Amino acid sequence: MPSNQPDVIFLVLDTQRVDRLSCYGYEKPTSPHIDTFAEGATRFKVAIAPGQWTIPSHASMFTGLYPSQHQMQQSYSVMPPHLKTLAERLQDGGYYTSAFCNNPLVGVINNGLRRGFYSFLNYSGLLSSRPNQAGIPSSFLDKYRQLFKRIVAKALNQVQDAFARSDWLLSLSFTPLMVPLWQTALSFKGNTRKSLDDAAQLLIERKGVKANQPVFTFINLMGTHMPYHPPREYIEKFAPNVLKDRDAQTYLRRFNSDVYGWLAPLMGALGDQQKETLDSMYDAEVAAQDVQVGHFLEQLKQAGRLENTYVVVCADHGEHLGEKQLIGHSLSIYNELVQVPLIIHDPNDIINRGTVRDDVVSTRCLFHTVLSATGLATPEEAELSLEHSNTSKTLEEVDPEHCVYAEAITPQNVLNLIQKRQPELISQHACDQTRRAVWVGNHKLIETAQNPPELYDVQDDPNESLDLSEIFPEMVESLQDSLSAFSQDADQHRALYSQARATGFDDPEVRRRLKDLGYLEE
């Protein structure tokens, strides 16, 4: 085992748009603390998430694979048992592995994303976890309290799993009467301050951690996820229009309680006032979370812990706020969703601090990068580390293995809801079609099953407003060849995955769930 391994912090700012951080050029001062952190780190200008929503993106960061390879693409997906996660690899390498998670899709649903963590604390769900980092009850009574808590937590997790897997329960939970109840009961966005304070406490005090044992800490924050309820001081600074305008307040209340509206395409473009309301409230959430992140990093700095800590700050995906008649992060593969912030502080790399990398990189390679930084990567994995630049830079250098890809498959439960409520939107927005994109240099090609391809110069046109596919047909053809090779590889992995799942296919509980999901006939 390598000596002097650094602590590792893997901080995911869930649903954080890259273009709303001031260190990425946003004109409003939404992120002064993250900006300061970026000054002493490496900032990646064009980082691409492999998937457009939580589960596939986290699974890619945890395995180093694209969504079609690990097949974690639905709310009911389970991590294949033969894949070792980043936490499992680090645990095998001697790390104390810990998680402080505010997203129920990662920390509550039993889908395998928690594998490899010695301690996994949830701050969302019907029953949030409490730190017990030493792993030892303090008294005889505490032992039975812990047992009771585990029993209740198991029952409640089964309830939450049922909501993730049942279209009927999911539809019920989206009714106007139920939304305020579950948002409160589930602590939907968790507790940013407490999760960061608990993480800092572990990293500084190291209770339950062996002497000289390095710590891997995964943190997921949900501050910028819908619904929008930032503290008033941030509304005053970034969204004063909402405080002054009753129409804006009415729209916001309706928006915050309309969960279906976070998932489905819009019937038409947002009005200027509605767009301004969403933009400004999102900015307020970004700024409020930035302060909490800054406090967390300052705690570690004052304690001297950042001197030997490898820190990754990134996002799993972004968010549509009305652009292209889309809301949320269910459907598209445009930059609003898949281009994400990525900032890495390497305590051993003094020379490159404060630098900006402008090559296109995939956040799936964070798996290889962290393993490389901790001395636990294989030679093949080290080659995919972000320390190296492996991506194709020009069309003359196109190598399908070194291109960056992203995939978007609409979650089946979302697709079912749209089919029931607004079926016409499915064909209008190709909701039921797989989307894939490839980046080479400044250009990005999007393919959506049977729809015409879309080609964009994402450096000169980051908002993807001018489709160049008819102007540069040869470029389209070249990039389509790369996507075709990628798709063939995806099909091979899908076949392997199906075989891996087949051993438990006859289990009565598995078959019942498949029937519930409509995959098996009675």
Side-chain angles (χ1 to χ4, degrees):
M1 181 182 2
S3 59
N4 196 33
Q5 292 171 303
D7 284 349
V8 177
I9 297 173
F10 200 124
L11 175 57
V12 176
L13 308 177
D14 205 297
T15 323
Q16 174 64 65
R17 284 177 58 143
V18 66
D19 62 351
R20 297 307 178 90
L21 295 175
S22 36
C23 59
Y24 278 89
Y26 193 42
E27 68 273 10
K28 297 181 181 179
T30 53
S31 56
H33 299 89
I34 293 176
D35 298 351
T36 299
F37 170 73
E39 291 173 359
T42 299
R43 180 170 61 84
F44 292 79
K45 188 176 179 180
V46 190
I48 305 300
Q52 90 285 16
W53 69 292
T54 301
I55 288 179
S57 184
H58 275 82
S60 289
M61 292 188 289
F62 284 8
T63 64
L65 301 172
Y66 284 107
S68 57
Q69 295 172 329
H70 58 64
Q71 284 294 294
M72 293 279 287
Q73 296 173 304
Q74 300 293 339
S75 59
Y76 50 79
S77 297
V78 177
M79 181 77 72
H82 67 279
L83 294 180
K84 274 213 165 186
T85 66
L86 179 60
E88 289 177 303
R89 291 286 299 277
L90 292 173
Q91 189 178 66
D92 290 345
Y95 272 77
Y96 180 100
T97 52
S98 59
F100 303 83
C101 186
N102 290 279
N103 192 319
L105 291 175
V106 180
V108 175
I109 295 176
N110 188 23
N111 54 17
L113 292 175
R114 294 177 294 184
R115 286 198 335 229
F117 287 99
Y118 177 79
S119 169
F120 200 113
L121 301 182
N122 295 302
Y123 298 83
S124 63
L126 292 168
L127 190 65
S128 298
S129 306
R130 286 186 177 181
N132 182 28
Q133 288 146 357
I136 303 173
S138 58
S139 69
F140 184 76
L141 181 59
D142 280 344
K143 179 178 180 180
Y144 286 94
R145 286 175 177 164
Q146 292 288 334
L147 177 61
F148 175 75
K149 181 176 179 179
R150 285 196 295 269
I151 293 172
V152 174
K154 182 178 180 180
L156 293 174
N157 284 344
Q158 289 176 345
V159 171
Q160 291 168 126
D161 279 354
F163 271 82
R165 291 166 165 79
S166 170
D167 292 334
W168 180 82
L169 288 174
L170 189 67
S171 182
L172 174 65
S173 70
F174 287 175
T175 60
L177 177 64
M178 291 293 293
V179 169
L181 296 177
W182 67 253
Q183 283 185 3
T184 302
L186 289 178
S187 302
F188 182 70
K189 295 174 68 164
N191 189 325
T192 297
R193 176 184 288 276
K194 181 163 179 52
S195 58
L196 289 173
D197 284 347
D198 289 345
Q201 182 179 9
L202 170 65
L203 289 163
I204 295 171
E205 300 180 5
R206 309 183 87 79
K207 292 180 180 178
V209 181
K210 297 177 183 177
N212 300 318
Q213 183 181 21
V215 175
F216 169 63
T217 299
F218 163 70
I219 306 169
N220 175 290
L221 303 180
M222 289 276 283
T224 60
H225 198 289
M226 302 169 186
Y228 300 138
H229 298 291
R232 184 181 177 89
E233 62 182 293
Y234 298 98
I235 300 176
E236 291 175 348
K237 184 173 182 179
F238 292 94
N241 56 300
V242 177
L243 294 176
K244 300 174 183 177
D245 192 323
R246 288 188 177 181
D247 289 340
Q249 294 166 17
T250 300
Y251 170 71
L252 182 63
R253 281 195 299 270
R254 186 170 65 249
F255 177 85
N256 278 340
S257 62
D258 180 20
V259 181
Y260 173 75
W262 307 350
L263 306 171
L266 297 167
M267 294 294 290
L270 286 178
D272 291 342
Q273 183 195 60
Q274 295 172 334
K275 175 64 174 162
E276 182 185 7
T277 298
L278 293 186
D279 283 341
S280 59
M281 291 296 287
Y282 183 88
D283 290 347
E285 293 281 24
V286 172
Q289 181 170 267
D290 175 74
V291 172
Q292 301 294 339
V293 171
H295 176 67
F296 167 71
L297 294 172
E298 185 62 25
Q299 283 182 280
L300 298 178
K301 181 180 179 181
Q302 292 298 324
R305 288 295 179 185
L306 287 182
E307 297 172 3
N308 189 39
T309 300
Y310 192 92
V311 184
V312 176
V313 177
C314 63
D316 56 345
H317 55 77
E319 189 80 321
H320 273 295
L321 296 170
E323 303 86 3
K324 303 174 179 69
Q325 296 187 28
L326 294 170
I327 291 288
H329 46 267
S330 296
L331 298 175
S332 95
I333 203 165
Y334 292 117
N335 283 353
E336 286 87 356
L337 293 196
V338 295
Q339 186 169 342
V340 296
L342 174 59
I343 306 168
I344 297 179
H345 164 78
D346 184 345
N348 297 318
D349 187 5
I350 301 175
I351 296 176
N352 291 317
R353 291 182 183 177
T355 61
V356 177
R357 287 265 300 268
D358 59 6
D359 51 323
V360 182
V361 300
S362 173
T363 57
R364 80 175 179 104
C365 293
L366 289 172
F367 172 85
H368 313 88
T369 304
V370 171
L371 290 179
S372 182
T374 56
L376 298 172
T378 66
E380 294 77 14
E381 289 168 340
E383 286 297 314
L384 288 173
S385 168
L386 294 179
E387 298 172 5
H388 311 291
S389 182
N390 298 303
T391 56
S392 299
K393 295 181 176 63
T394 67
L395 288 175
E396 291 74 22
E397 299 175 346
V398 170
D399 177 354
E401 292 188 1
H402 290 156
C403 292
V404 171
Y405 302 94
E407 304 174 274
I409 294 180
T410 305
Q412 188 63 47
N413 49 16
V414 173
L415 190 60
N416 292 346
L417 285 171
I418 298 173
Q419 179 65 50
K420 290 177 181 178
R421 297 194 184 192
Q422 296 173 293
E424 68 279 5
L425 293 179
I426 292 180
S427 59
Q428 291 176 15
H429 292 269
C431 299
D432 56 349
Q433 298 183 28
T434 298
R435 291 168 164 80
R436 290 193 173 101
V438 58
W439 284 254
V440 173
N442 297 336
H443 290 92
K444 169 186 176 182
L445 183 77
I446 299 175
E447 279 195 331
T448 308
Q450 300 175 358
N451 285 14
E454 302 171 58
L455 178 69
Y456 299 102
D457 184 331
V458 288
Q459 177 170 315
D460 294 339
D461 179 25
N463 295 325
E464 297 161 303
S465 57
L466 178 61
D467 183 357
L468 304 172
S469 58
E470 295 185 0
I471 302 175
F472 300 111
E474 293 182 358
M475 185 182 299
V476 170
E477 185 176 351
S478 177
L479 295 178
Q480 281 181 318
D481 289 342
S482 295
L483 274 178
S484 177
F486 176 76
S487 298
Q488 291 175 9
D489 181 70
D491 291 339
Q492 293 175 0
H493 278 83
R494 188 177 298 108
L496 290 173
Y497 175 78
S498 298
Q499 293 172 8
R501 288 287 298 272
T503 55
F505 186 78
D506 291 328
D507 181 271
E509 177 63 18
V510 173
R511 295 187 67 83
R512 184 189 66 78
R513 289 192 174 188
L514 288 173
K515 288 179 181 178
D516 290 342
L517 293 165
Y519 293 125
L520 288 179
E521 297 294 335
E522 292 293 342

